[in-house]
């Protein structure tokens, strides 16, 4: 069994919304980590052993290896109960709503913000040296993302966070918006004022703001230059990596 005092390693890119989500939750818990900032495209065979679906993030602590951001965040709350909680402590209904919003974010927001927009506009050209799917991008911007924002506009608070202090629900939703910005998409504050303001509040919070310099350092360079750029920016990198020098195709998730 892992020891709570054992070092935590996160495998996954700072620019992944799912990695960003876990790192923000680690910040709430006050837990240190080191990071191997690879994307699944560059994962080696040992990465596949740790994450059979080739998903990031992966959390490694001693002999424990967990993949899937929601599994990791749930484990953090159970493994570190004396640290600030990620789920609201009030009612069972609030905790259930948190889990639903996390699922909505992981599935629907991940599909439209990441696979339909960010992957097509940013990742696909950078990794595979090919243009993304223009029709898929247009559908995301014109139809799919507005539908998501219409839903959020009805669910989000006028001010503050969803359940008091910032927590898992806020983080799970907000984590996709830096990727939208990297792909050139901004929330229209006139059409979705509550959502735009909520996103700004979340991303200004230290749990996200502290990660922004590492994201900017990473997004500005090629995957091969990533570690050097992140080291220069002060990121807590692991000494070794599960990454390859060249990408390979397969079953993988950002």
């Amino acid at each position: 069994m892992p020891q709570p005092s054992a070092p935590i390693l996160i495998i996954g890119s700072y620019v992944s919304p799912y990695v960003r989500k876990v790192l923000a939750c680690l910040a709430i818990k006050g837990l240190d980590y080191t990071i191997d900032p690879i994307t699944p495209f560059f994962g080696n065979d040992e990465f596949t052993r740790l994450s059979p679906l080739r998903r990031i993030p992966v959390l490694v602590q001693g002999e424990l290896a967990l993949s899937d951001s929601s599994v990791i965040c749930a484990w953090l709350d159970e493994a570190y109960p004396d640290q600030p909680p990620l789920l609201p402590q009030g009612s069972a209904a609030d905790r259930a709503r948190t889990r639903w919003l996390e699922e909505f974010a992981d599935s629907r927001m991940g599909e439209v913000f990441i696979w339909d927009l960010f992957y097509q506009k940013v990742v696909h050209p950078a990794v595979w040296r090919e243009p993304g799917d223009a029709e898929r991008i247009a559908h995301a911007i014109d139809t799919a993302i507005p539908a998501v924002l219409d839903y959020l506009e009805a669910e989000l608070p006028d001010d503050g966070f969803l359940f008091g202090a910032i927590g898992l629900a806020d983080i799970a939703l907000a984590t996709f918006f830096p990727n939208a910005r990297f792909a050139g998409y901004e929330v229209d504050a006139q059409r979705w004022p509550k959502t735009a303001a909520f996103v700004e509040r979340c991303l200004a919070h230290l749990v996200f703001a502290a990660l922004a310099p590492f994201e900017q350092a990473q997004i500005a360079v090629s995957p091969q230059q990533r570690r050097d750029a992140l080291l220069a920016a002060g990121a807590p990198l692991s000494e070794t990596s599960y990454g390859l020098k060249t990408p390979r195709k397969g079953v993988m998730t950002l």
Side-chain angles (χ1 to χ4, degrees):
M1 294 293 291
Q3 299 299 315
S5 60
I8 292 174
L9 168 67
I10 300 297
I11 305 170
S13 160
Y14 274 108
V15 176
S16 162
Y18 301 101
V19 173
R20 187 183 297 115
K21 169 183 161 186
V22 166
L23 297 182
C25 288
L26 284 168
I28 287 179
K29 289 287 187 182
L31 299 173
D32 294 330
Y33 65 90
T34 59
I35 187 167
D36 178 12
I38 67 168
T39 58
F41 312 102
F42 289 86
N44 62 19
D45 290 341
E46 181 63 10
F47 170 74
T48 303
R49 187 187 71 80
L50 295 172
S51 182
L53 298 181
R54 294 181 64 81
R55 291 178 176 171
I56 56 173
V58 180
L59 181 146
V60 180
Q61 187 186 52
E63 296 182 357
L64 175 70
L66 300 173
S67 57
D68 187 273
S69 63
S70 295
V71 171
I72 293 170
C73 291
W75 176 82
L76 287 172
D77 248 0
E78 293 183 10
Y80 297 92
D82 296 332
Q83 308 288 17
L86 302 177
L87 270 68
Q89 298 299 290
S91 68
D94 285 347
R95 289 188 292 277
R97 186 167 173 239
T98 294
R99 295 185 183 100
W100 156 245
L101 291 172
E102 183 184 23
E103 171 58 27
F104 177 79
D106 284 356
S107 56
R108 185 56 179 158
M109 293 180 71
E111 180 180 7
V112 300
F113 280 101
I114 303 306
W115 291 111
D116 293 347
L117 180 65
F118 179 73
Y119 179 81
Q120 303 301 327
K121 288 196 71 173
V122 179
V123 178
H124 200 281
V127 174
W128 308 118
R129 307 300 180 187
E130 301 169 351
D133 186 330
E135 289 187 11
R136 195 167 176 179
I137 294 168
H139 181 266
I141 291 172
D142 296 340
T143 303
I145 291 176
V148 167
L149 298 179
D150 286 343
Y151 174 72
L152 293 181
E153 191 71 11
E155 296 294 316
L156 295 174
D158 293 327
D159 53 34
F161 301 107
L162 279 156
F163 302 104
I166 194 170
L168 178 59
D170 311 288
I171 289 168
L173 295 173
T175 191
F176 290 94
F177 290 93
N179 293 79
R181 288 177 173 174
F182 291 142
Y185 184 91
E186 290 282 352
V187 178
D188 184 340
Q190 292 189 337
R191 183 173 177 182
W192 298 288
K194 287 201 299 182
T195 304
F198 173 82
V199 169
E200 292 304 320
R201 287 195 298 276
C202 288
L203 297 185
H205 194 284
L206 186 60
V207 299
F208 283 121
L211 301 174
F214 305 143
E215 296 175 22
Q216 292 294 335
Q218 177 179 323
I219 203 78
V221 299
S222 70
Q224 291 77 14
Q225 299 170 307
R226 179 176 302 167
R227 288 186 68 88
D228 288 343
L230 287 171
L231 281 171
L237 297 197
S238 59
E239 293 185 2
T240 59
S241 176
Y242 293 90
L244 300 169
K245 292 184 178 180
T246 57
R248 63 186 189 183
K249 293 186 178 181
V251 178
M252 51 191 69
T253 302
L254 292 174

